[in-house]
Amino acid sequence: MNFKNVDVINFLQIMSKALGIPFVWEEKDIRGKITLVSPKRFSPADAFRIFETVLDMHGFTLIRKEGSPVVQVVPSKEAPRFPSPTRTDAERTQESNFFVTQIIPLRFADANQIKAALTPLISRTAGLAVYAPANVLVLSDSESNVNRLVAIIKEMDVPPEAVKFAVVTLKYASARKLAPILTTLSTILPAGPG
């Protein structure tokens, strides 16, 4: 895998042949040059991960419609508008940069408060919506980002009795500067009894 200043379209054609995956794209959307240098050979699985990373760095993502062997290459900022696989919290696939939509039902925390806490953490190309009547989050992003955010959500969606408090002595940070941040974060935790 050695590419020097190769057009993204040429890179896609080479990787399609090497990986045996048919890719489709809108030519007007695909621009840029890629340089990738590797001193060793990679397995097909590792080569695909590197391929996904390179595309991500250049602002592209992959979408695979369910039941289709073809993979779409689209600009990341436009990916939420394309049909992508939708899954529930119970469904997890192997981590990749394929674009997915995850439905996340919350048991204890308020969906609007979780959304407020996650907003600074989501990628610029992600979509995050709240369906308040069911207290559900709908998150669209790459599989790897969705899995990371779902893990964070699980840590925040806990019953009030599971919340533990501790006194922490600060070594390198100012309590005055941290107080507003912690106050904001505390709004996502469920209120305790009484």
Side-chain angles (χ1 to χ4, degrees):
M1 291 185 71
N2 289 302
F3 301 94
K4 185 169 182 179
N5 209 27
V6 173
D7 284 329
V8 175
I9 290 177
N10 290 343
F11 178 69
L12 290 171
Q13 292 167 338
I14 292 166
M15 294 306 292
S16 175
K17 187 172 183 177
L19 297 169
I21 300 172
F23 296 113
V24 296
W25 60 86
E26 182 71 41
E27 203 149 323
K28 68 176 177 57
D29 294 335
I30 307 297
R31 299 272 183 266
K33 302 271 189 188
I34 289 174
T35 297
L36 172 64
V37 179
S38 171
K40 66 175 191 169
R41 292 180 157 267
F42 291 100
S43 70
D46 287 340
F48 188 76
R49 294 276 187 260
I50 292 167
F51 170 69
E52 289 179 312
T53 301
V54 169
L55 287 180
D56 184 50
M57 288 174 58
H58 286 78
F60 302 107
T61 193
L62 303 173
I63 297 175
R64 178 177 283 168
K65 292 181 185 176
E66 292 185 57
S68 174
V70 176
V71 175
Q72 290 178 274
V73 181
V74 300
S76 298
K77 63 184 177 191
E78 295 178 23
R81 296 186 340 204
F82 284 84
S84 61
T86 302
R87 63 186 196 179
T88 63
D89 191 41
E91 300 168 323
R92 300 278 300 260
T93 58
Q94 71 178 35
E95 199 153 292
S96 72
N97 278 339
F98 280 108
F99 208 81
V100 297
T101 298
Q102 174 84 39
I103 298 168
I104 309 162
L106 300 173
R107 294 180 57 206
F108 305 103
D110 177 80
N112 286 306
Q113 292 176 339
I114 295 289
K115 180 183 178 186
L118 290 181
T119 298
L121 304 177
I122 64 173
S123 68
R124 293 178 319 213
T125 58
L128 180 60
V130 170
Y131 181 63
N135 201 36
V136 167
L137 291 170
V138 180
L139 175 62
S140 295
D141 203 349
S142 69
E143 178 91 19
S144 54
N145 284 341
V146 167
N147 289 344
R148 177 180 63 88
L149 292 169
V150 166
I152 293 170
I153 291 166
K154 285 186 180 187
E155 292 297 318
M156 295 188 293
D157 188 28
V158 296
E161 60 273 9
V163 177
K164 295 188 169 95
F165 295 95
V167 175
V168 178
T169 304
L170 300 176
K171 245 180 157 175
Y172 303 106
S174 161
R176 282 198 177 111
K177 289 181 181 177
L178 280 181
I181 296 168
L182 294 174
T183 301
T184 302
L185 288 175
S186 70
T187 62
I188 61 168
L189 298 174

